[in-house]
Amino acid sequence: MKHLTILVPDAQTSLNTFACIIGAYDIFTRANQHWVGQGKDPVFTVCLAGVSENAVIQQDIMSIRPEFRLSQVAGTNLILIPAISLDFERPEGGNIELTGWIREQYNKGAEVASMCSGGLMLASTGLLDGKSCSIHWNAVDKLKNLFPRVLVKTERLITDAEGIYTNGGGYSFLNLVLYLVEKYYNRETAIYCSKIYQIEIDRQNQSAFTIFTGQKAHGDEVIRKAQAFIEDHFREKISVQDLSTRFAVGRRNFDRRFIKATGNTPVEYVQRVKVESAKKSLESTRKTISEVMYEVGYADVKAFREVFRRITGMSPLEYKNKYNKEGADLAAMS
């Protein structure tokens, strides 16, 4: 029988930490029960482990106490790292010991999976250097700034490389758990769990959930002014040359500084601002796709659709049908 360790952080926790721990424990326990019901031995012994049995993570309404100390877990096959607080900068308290233990177990052959912002904890072990990582869209900039050697896959819901798994954010950790159930049990068990818990299986992309706000936590005041100009004038035709001239910076230097500060080229930034505005219109108004397209400054339907799909993973019509209840109801009545 394999051993699954769900980590209980010693500090830097949030309510989402609880959700990840409880959700993962529940689903893997149910997968084991289903497996045993078919006359097979359980795949995993599932345990909660922390730096101390007395280390309780606590919020106002609940607390979780680990079943075992890390020192009692000599070896494990799979480690799950739950979400942590988004104010994370570096491991604190007993979490320093947790990161060392994760690194040690991985080097012994264990696989490791991080859920949501737990990717920050995983990155702090150094195991993600040069590897792909997905994380909640709201933590992407922090991950890039703290751990520049990590290959951040903003649009991916799940990454899987060299025995390390990561996932996007929020409650999409449930999709990662199903992914691991399929890997360690089989497809039929993953489908069973998806039906029991009513989780949509095989989600691959988190782009449609991203709310683009632009990276502004940088020290380049000229680029911050350029961002503000783009956000105020995105409906107009904006060229990179015009921007660099407006802010008295050479074109090549402007491009370099913009990418360094925001993680996007100036053209990508303009596109993302336009698409974010289009998404809000598609979600909340009865405007047609063409009306929205013109409103955000596009005149070419094909170009608008291509950019929208590249950024969100969906066509404008698919997005409207998914998120605009009034539009969906009208479509159903017609």
Side-chain angles (χ1 to χ4, degrees):
M1 188 185 305
K2 298 181 185 297
H3 191 277
L4 166 60
T5 304
I6 303 174
L7 294 182
V8 180
D10 181 63
Q12 301 169 293
T13 61
S14 68
L15 281 175
N16 204 22
T17 310
F18 288 77
C20 290
I21 293 172
I22 295 168
Y25 191 97
D26 190 17
I27 293 174
F28 274 105
T29 300
R30 178 61 70 99
N32 264 346
Q33 292 171 349
H34 180 69
W35 202 249
V36 170
Q38 296 178 320
K40 303 173 185 177
D41 294 330
V43 172
F44 281 116
T45 296
V46 184
C47 79
L48 306 185
V51 294
S52 167
E53 290 181 47
N54 296 320
V56 180
I57 60 172
Q58 185 167 339
Q59 296 288 330
D60 292 339
I61 57 174
M62 65 183 79
S63 63
I64 293 180
R65 186 187 303 275
E67 303 169 279
F68 299 95
R69 297 189 302 274
L70 292 181
S71 59
Q72 295 175 295
V73 184
T76 192
N77 300 99
L78 178 61
I79 301 167
L80 297 188
I81 306 170
I84 57 174
S85 172
L86 281 178
D87 62 5
F88 178 95
E89 295 291 333
R90 63 186 61 82
E92 296 176 1
N95 288 347
I96 298 172
E97 186 177 337
L98 281 182
T99 56
W101 185 84
I102 293 166
R103 189 165 50 244
E104 176 188 353
Q105 292 298 320
Y106 178 76
N107 290 334
K108 288 181 178 179
E111 296 195 322
V112 185
S114 66
M115 299 180 273
C116 190
S117 53
L120 295 167
M121 180 81 76
L122 178 55
S124 69
T125 67
L127 294 177
L128 281 175
D129 288 356
K131 297 185 180 71
S132 297
C133 177
S134 181
I135 199 166
H136 194 288
W137 55 263
N138 203 30
V140 165
D141 291 335
K142 171 161 282 195
L143 180 61
K144 287 180 177 179
N145 290 335
L146 290 178
F147 306 102
R149 296 181 64 187
V150 175
L151 307 178
V152 184
K153 300 296 183 180
T154 307
E155 76 289 350
R156 294 287 297 279
L157 189 71
I158 295 170
T159 65
D160 174 349
E162 300 178 39
I164 295 179
Y165 311 89
T166 67
N167 93 279
Y171 284 79
S172 70
F173 79 85
L174 296 169
N175 296 97
L176 174 63
V177 173
L178 289 183
Y179 184 87
L180 294 171
V181 167
E182 179 171 354
K183 180 179 178 66
Y184 279 93
Y185 295 78
N186 59 16
R187 176 73 174 178
E188 185 273 332
T189 304
I191 292 173
Y192 169 79
C193 289
S194 77
K195 291 181 177 180
I196 289 294
Y197 294 96
Q198 298 188 37
I199 306 166
E200 182 181 348
I201 199 168
D202 292 335
R203 275 185 54 211
Q204 300 294 326
N205 194 294
Q206 66 169 339
S207 297
F209 297 95
T210 301
I211 301 174
F212 182 73
T213 56
Q215 157 68 307
K216 296 186 177 71
H218 55 78
D220 195 324
E221 186 60 27
V222 169
I223 299 304
R224 249 199 301 266
K225 290 179 179 177
Q227 290 173 266
F229 181 85
I230 291 170
E231 290 164 13
D232 289 340
H233 299 84
F234 69 88
R235 294 177 177 84
E236 304 167 14
K237 186 174 181 179
I238 301 174
S239 74
V240 181
Q241 186 60 55
D242 290 342
L243 285 171
S244 63
T245 300
R246 173 178 290 275
F247 295 100
V249 180
R251 168 64 189 270
R252 294 181 66 180
N253 190 32
F254 181 81
D255 281 347
R256 180 186 59 79
R257 288 171 60 176
F258 201 99
I259 293 169
K260 181 179 179 181
T262 70
N264 293 282
T265 67
V267 171
E268 289 170 342
Y269 199 91
V270 172
Q271 290 173 340
R272 288 185 173 276
V273 171
K274 287 177 180 289
V275 168
E276 190 61 32
S277 179
K279 284 164 57 181
K280 290 175 182 176
S281 289
L282 293 172
E283 291 165 3
S284 59
T285 74
R286 299 176 65 175
K287 293 176 182 176
T288 67
I289 304 300
S290 293
E291 288 172 329
V292 171
M293 176 189 73
Y294 291 125
E295 183 181 74
V296 299
Y298 279 96
D300 186 318
V301 174
K302 183 179 179 182
F304 175 63
R305 286 175 177 165
E306 287 178 352
V307 171
F308 193 96
R309 182 179 287 280
R310 175 165 52 78
I311 291 175
T312 69
M314 306 170 71
S315 72
L317 182 58
E318 289 169 337
Y319 191 91
K320 184 177 182 67
N321 288 340
K322 187 176 182 68
Y323 290 105
N324 191 316
K325 185 178 185 300
E326 182 178 327
D329 288 345
L330 288 172
M333 294 170 60
S334 61

